[in-house]
Amino acid sequence: MELDFLVPVDDKVLAHCELLPQQAMGKHIKVHSKRDGLPEMSAVKIAFLGVKESRNAFEKKPEKIDVSAIRIQLYKLLLGNWSFRLADIGDIEEGATVEDTYFVVKNTLTALLKQGVVPIIIGATQDITYPAYRAFDGIKNLVNLVAVDSRFDFGMDDELISSHSYMSKIITDQPNNLYNFSNIGYQSYFNAQEEMDLMERLFFDAYRLGELGSDISLAEPVLRNAHMVSMDMRAVRASEIGLLDNFSPNGFTGREICAIARYAGFSDKVCLFGIYEMENAVQSSQLIAQIIWYFIEGFNFRITESPLEEPENFTKYNVPCDSEQLVFHKSHLTDRWWVEVPSVLAPHTKTDTVALLPCTKTDYLQACDQNIPERWLKAYKKGFN
């Protein structure tokens, strides 16, 4: 594996780990250390790595990210009833240029993805989402990206890539493998109207903070369809994270952001999870550690199910609307819902079958009231334009 550029976990983290009880996560994580080198990855399902690159930060960072502090908080959490192996493969330091760092990030993540390992990135700035997205080149032709963010991060046309403009590079750079982009938790006063108009024109999905605050489960179907998730910690309210500068009084609570992480882990499609834009504070490190714990907890309960392949495990609902007949499926096992959309949503299939779009029970009830769900309309228009 191309992991030669990874720096081992700091000795002070390993020393702290020696003092932990046997039930602590740190006692069960395979760690990249100076003494033992990289761990054997054959049985590993999830790997953590830090990315310390911050030169493209929109707001310049007052100090380098302390990934070791996050590791100390993570290692002390108690292990869940998990049946798979975890690894901490160390950090990617800043290269001679930002492009050098991107190159190393891309190659490292590609190597992990090819081996079936789900990387959890702890990154200084969210522009690392770009090389993480490029890691899918040659692995997945169409990528669904979900950003948990108060901003859309398109930036201005002439702006160089930064933590506030990386999405512009993703949607314009070749090869263009982005199929869908969804934002969870945007706040209108942080986004220009032009950005909102662009989201509409491209049939991307966006969910306001207030909408999710009343029902965080609305995030689940969005994450169920994602291949990679990019979480900006500035989407969390300042009081929850123990930081004031560059953080907003409005945002997700700690409980809500952990629920989102658990939904991401539970999605059987998510194969890359990134957490970005934190700054050094004990409360921040604790929350990030708990976010990672909940992602792993969700991963542990992953279930692969398909109404088309196992119809006996689902209830099928045909809902005639004025212009369309919508077909919904409800799982007997998980109570999750899907709605059928024309097959352009699944170009990787060779037969002219329908595609399944994750949805909610509310979408079904709306259809019963003759209101076609907005998520279905966007998926339909995206496929026929």
Side-chain angles (χ1 to χ4, degrees):
M1 295 180 70
E2 297 184 26
L3 304 177
D4 299 337
F5 292 97
L6 289 164
V7 176
V9 172
D10 199 304
D11 285 340
K12 72 178 181 181
V13 178
L14 302 180
H16 180 271
C17 189
E18 291 296 321
L19 304 174
L20 297 175
Q22 193 58 38
Q23 298 90 341
M25 282 182 63
K27 293 291 189 181
H28 300 268
I29 296 173
K30 302 170 74 173
V31 177
H32 178 193
S33 65
K34 294 175 186 175
R35 186 185 69 182
D36 299 326
L38 278 163
E40 170 58 43
M41 299 291 290
S42 57
V44 170
K45 293 297 183 185
I46 293 177
F48 323 118
L49 71 154
V51 180
K52 297 186 176 181
E53 178 62 66
S54 62
R55 284 171 287 186
N56 274 346
F58 186 80
E59 300 103 353
K60 294 307 176 185
K61 300 294 182 182
E63 54 187 353
K64 297 291 184 183
I65 179 177
D66 187 357
V67 185
S68 292
I70 297 169
R71 285 189 168 101
I72 287 172
Q73 296 298 333
L74 177 65
Y75 285 15
K76 69 169 65 172
L77 298 180
L78 300 186
L79 199 71
N81 187 23
W82 306 325
S83 58
F84 48 86
R85 289 191 175 275
L86 308 168
D88 187 339
I89 58 175
D91 297 324
I92 296 174
E93 299 280 359
E94 290 186 347
T97 66
V98 175
E99 289 70 26
D100 290 339
T101 309
Y102 285 178
F103 178 81
V104 173
V105 170
K106 174 184 179 295
N107 286 353
T108 300
L109 296 178
T110 297
L112 292 169
L113 292 171
K114 285 182 175 178
Q115 194 163 327
V117 177
V118 175
I120 297 180
I121 307 165
I122 304 168
T125 52
Q126 202 177 14
D127 58 291
I128 301 302
T129 303
Y130 171 72
Y133 159 74
R134 288 268 71 106
F136 286 94
D137 291 351
I139 297 177
K140 193 173 292 294
N141 292 329
L142 294 172
V143 177
N144 292 334
L145 165 62
V146 172
V148 183
D149 201 336
S150 59
R151 295 173 168 86
F152 297 140
D153 290 332
F154 288 117
M156 305 302 291
D157 292 339
D158 58 349
E159 186 178 357
L160 296 174
I161 182 171
S162 78
S163 55
H164 274 187
S165 65
Y166 69 91
M167 276 306 305
S168 293
K169 191 163 179 63
I170 285 178
I171 63 176
T172 58
D173 207 37
Q174 297 295 329
N176 191 341
N177 300 331
L178 183 69
Y179 182 69
N180 192 42
F181 169 63
S182 300
N183 171 280
I184 294 176
Y186 80 94
Q187 298 174 41
S188 298
Y189 39 73
F190 288 145
N191 296 279
Q193 187 59 49
E194 291 82 356
E195 292 182 283
M196 296 185 187
D197 293 343
L198 180 61
M199 291 287 288
E200 285 293 322
R201 287 201 306 273
L202 296 176
F203 305 112
F204 289 159
D205 304 309
Y207 299 83
R208 292 181 64 173
L209 174 67
E211 184 181 3
L212 292 160
S214 59
D215 184 4
I216 197 64
S217 68
L218 293 173
E220 188 278 324
V222 185
L223 292 158
R224 200 189 321 162
N225 218 30
H227 299 112
M228 62 178 293
V229 177
S230 175
M231 181 178 286
D232 187 332
M233 290 303 293
R234 291 173 301 187
V236 179
R237 65 175 65 161
S239 60
E240 299 282 303
I241 205 165
L243 294 164
L244 297 177
D245 293 345
N246 302 326
F247 288 80
S248 171
N250 286 309
F252 289 114
T253 65
R255 183 188 63 81
E256 289 166 346
I257 202 71
C258 287
I260 289 170
R262 191 178 189 278
Y263 289 141
F266 190 56
S267 167
D268 64 325
K269 288 187 178 181
V270 171
C271 44
L272 196 156
F273 184 67
I275 307 170
Y276 308 100
E277 299 294 340
M278 71 291 294
E279 293 178 13
N280 300 329
V282 174
Q283 192 171 327
S284 170
S285 298
Q286 289 173 333
L287 181 56
I288 292 163
Q290 291 168 19
I291 288 169
I292 294 171
W293 191 96
Y294 273 102
F295 178 87
I296 301 169
E297 176 77 353
F299 183 92
N300 183 63
F301 288 105
R302 280 191 177 187
I303 296 172
T304 301
E305 54 181 354
S306 169
L308 300 182
E309 296 177 8
E310 304 166 308
E312 68 277 7
N313 295 329
F314 294 81
T315 300
K316 183 176 179 179
Y317 300 88
N318 292 296
V319 182
C321 295
D322 290 340
S323 57
E324 303 284 344
Q325 174 155 315
L326 302 187
V327 180
F328 290 85
H329 301 268
K330 179 188 177 184
S331 167
H332 298 162
L333 183 61
T334 62
D335 284 340
R336 294 188 295 181
W337 289 76
W338 286 262
V339 61
E340 294 183 7
V341 185
S343 60
V344 285
L345 255 185
H348 59 280
T349 59
K350 296 180 180 179
T351 57
D352 188 25
T353 60
V354 296
L356 293 169
L357 181 68
C359 66
T360 65
K361 183 178 181 179
T362 300
D363 293 322
Y364 163 71
L365 295 175
Q366 284 180 352
C368 291
D369 289 336
Q370 298 299 297
N371 296 313
I372 295 179
E374 185 178 353
R375 74 173 81 236
W376 189 94
L377 285 171
K378 283 189 175 181
Y380 182 88
K381 291 176 181 177
K382 180 190 287 286
F384 283 91
N385 278 276

